[in-house]
Amino acid sequence: MSRFHIVDDDTIARGECTDIYFARCEEVLAKEGKNPLVTMEVTTVGMPYDRGVFCGLDDAVALLEGVPVDVEAMPEGSVFLPREPVMRITGRYRDFGRYETALLGFLCHASGIATAAAHVKEAAGDCKVYSFGSRRQHPAIAQMIERSAWIGGVDGVSNTTAPEGMPIVGTMPHAFVMCHATPEEAWTAFDRHSALDVPRLMLCDTFGDEKEECLKAAELGFTGAVRLDTPRSRRGNMRAILEEVRWELDSHGHEDVGIFLSGGVTREDIRAYRDLVDAFGVGGAIANAPVIDFSLDIVEIEGKSCAKRGKWSGVKQVYLLPGGARVILPTGAHAPEGAVPLLKPVMRHGQAVGHTDMAKARARVLADLAERAQSA
Ligand code: PCP
């Protein structure tokens, strides 16, 4: 029995974290002696972005390990568009139907976060973006949040449970500053006791005006950047505040001291302030991102194309064409010259073939962002 209101790995892996209607209908099919061979596809018909970033495949494969199905999918970090299948599963329906709930949960949530992170990073351009939002979500999924944000292109994450292979970044909380008699005492203590590789990012808005505190921090000589987390009640014209802080730092010889902005930062804020800010700490705008509304639908039964209303029947492949255009075609159709099929085998009869690679997934997103920045 878990200490917290969470579902343990084994229960999820057994397909017991499911919607009751799957369990009940599985029983009915069994009593009817029905277990048709089906192919199901994961697609979305729409999303609050021009494109999505596919993520969560690693957990999906772990979920279906040992389940007698064949799976093809786009690699993690792939861009996808509405209607494009990002994954397809072939097997006998009763063998995997109940896994739909957990499977979609893994893909919808991770892809939502990776997609938001990629769009936030796109808005930031050369500015650094750090994922600070695990506190906005249930701690049991902190690792998934940080992995998805990293794949989506952020430059670092704050949660200590993040998977290996990404920088863990943080500054200091207001509570830390308030534990000292003055902000200067807090900044000096931080510098005195922090390891050399810990960036000296000083929080400069706890008690005094940002301009005043930033200058004090900069004049201590060890400050790499000043963090502004200005409360909403004081954010009249945040641009003017940032311009003032930048002016005062530069006019007092602290051109090398960067500005770090956090606190309810959105994509729009990043676009508005990226010429003045060197790094953004982003919480809810990534961690609370809307999930991708994927669904898993039958497209073929016993070899015959068949789909419910609103879905396109038949097994499909998505092709990337020379020049960057994309096309969805039935798998039996002749692929255009130079077309690259995006769905690749990831499982054969319940065994993973190949593996998901977080670094490669992230590289895919960064390459796409670089291409978009170039063509912008
Ligand atoms: C938190 C943190 C980031 C915020 C949250 C990220 O700020 O410092 O700035 O989450 P958001 O983008 O959803 O706002 P606070 O809790 O205000 O302050 P503290 O740094 O003192 O923890």
Side-chain angles (χ1 to χ4, degrees):
M1 184 58 193
S2 173
R3 184 171 174 182
F4 304 110
H5 297 299
I6 55 173
V7 181
D8 62 80
D9 282 11
D10 293 345
T11 303
I12 296 172
R14 286 195 302 270
E16 290 167 12
C17 177
T18 189
D19 295 293
I20 189 67
Y21 73 170
F22 288 126
R24 286 191 183 131
C25 292
E26 188 184 288
E27 272 175 43
V28 173
L29 287 170
K31 290 179 182 141
E32 291 281 306
K34 291 187 184 318
N35 196 10
L37 179 65
V38 300
T39 295
M40 302 186 78
E41 289 178 346
V42 175
T43 58
T44 183
V45 291
M47 59 188 139
Y49 308 95
D50 62 343
R51 67 194 192 278
V53 170
F54 183 51
C55 197
L57 180 61
D58 62 324
D59 281 341
V61 168
L63 176 72
L64 296 173
E65 199 76 35
V67 179
V69 292
D70 294 342
V71 179
E72 290 80 33
M74 291 185 181
E76 285 192 300
S78 300
V79 163
F80 66 88
L81 303 178
R83 292 269 176 212
E84 291 182 348
V86 292
M87 175 186 275
R88 65 172 172 259
I89 305 173
T90 302
R92 297 221 160 265
Y93 181 70
R94 269 199 357 248
D95 295 343
F96 70 97
R98 67 173 43 242
Y99 286 93
E100 177 168 341
T101 309
L103 180 88
L104 289 180
F106 285 139
L107 300 178
C108 294
H109 205 164
S111 298
I113 292 171
T115 300
H119 283 82
V120 161
K121 183 59 189 168
E122 183 179 27
D126 299 334
C127 297
K128 298 291 186 198
V129 171
Y130 299 108
S131 165
F132 277 9
S134 57
R135 68 182 63 197
R136 304 282 180 237
Q137 292 282 338
H138 192 293
I141 61 169
Q143 204 172 77
M144 179 280 289
I145 291 172
E146 304 295 39
R147 181 180 184 279
S148 306
W150 177 247
I151 286 174
V154 301
D155 300 281
V157 301
S158 65
N159 195 285
T160 53
T161 67
E164 292 280 315
M166 62 189 78
I168 309 289
V169 174
T171 67
M172 58 183 64
H174 292 94
F176 171 79
V177 176
M178 298 170 75
C179 290
H180 295 79
T182 65
E184 290 92 327
E185 196 188 290
W187 301 328
T188 305
F190 186 89
D191 178 58
R192 183 182 309 121
H193 301 294
S194 296
L196 291 178
D197 64 353
V198 173
R200 268 50 177 173
L201 308 173
M202 302 306 158
L203 179 60
C204 298
D205 64 14
T206 307
F207 296 118
D209 177 80
E210 289 81 354
K211 172 169 71 176
E212 187 200 329
E213 289 207 5
C214 288
L215 216 42
K216 281 182 186 160
E219 275 155 12
L220 288 170
F222 49 65
T223 297
V226 291
R227 173 161 83 96
L228 303 187
D229 193 84
T230 307
R232 291 278 137 198
S233 59
R234 304 291 198 286
R235 282 195 188 200
N237 178 337
M238 196 63 212
R239 185 169 184 84
I241 294 173
L242 291 166
E243 284 171 342
E244 210 174 312
V245 167
R246 187 71 268 164
W247 169 265
E248 293 304 332
L249 288 173
D250 294 351
S251 59
H252 288 78
H254 301 297
E255 295 84 351
D256 58 335
V257 173
I259 295 179
F260 192 117
L261 182 66
S262 64
V265 171
T266 63
R267 216 165 18 133
E268 292 63 38
D269 293 330
I270 290 175
R271 282 207 197 90
Y273 309 136
R274 63 187 173 197
D275 58 322
L276 291 164
V277 168
D278 303 280
F280 295 94
V282 180
I286 291 176
N288 304 346
V291 300
I292 301 293
D293 193 4
F294 285 130
S295 64
L296 177 66
D297 301 285
I298 288 179
V299 294
E300 189 178 276
I301 299 184
E302 301 293 356
K304 289 199 193 63
S305 292
C306 173
K308 71 177 184 182
R309 292 182 310 151
K311 297 291 174 177
W312 298 357
S313 70
V315 180
K316 305 167 215 40
Q317 177 58 276
V318 183
Y319 293 96
L320 186 59
L321 306 179
R326 306 162 71 96
V327 66
I328 305 170
L329 291 173
T331 45
H334 179 67
E337 190 66 31
V340 178
L342 296 182
L343 283 90
K344 307 247 184 335
V346 292
M347 300 186 85
R348 281 293 167 265
H349 212 62
Q351 299 310 310
V353 291
H355 66 286
T356 55
D357 181 317
M358 186 176 72
K360 283 200 185 128
R362 175 181 164 78
R364 255 179 225 103
V365 174
L366 295 179
D368 176 70
L369 291 178
E371 210 177 294
R372 288 170 193 279
Q374 226 153 39
S375 56

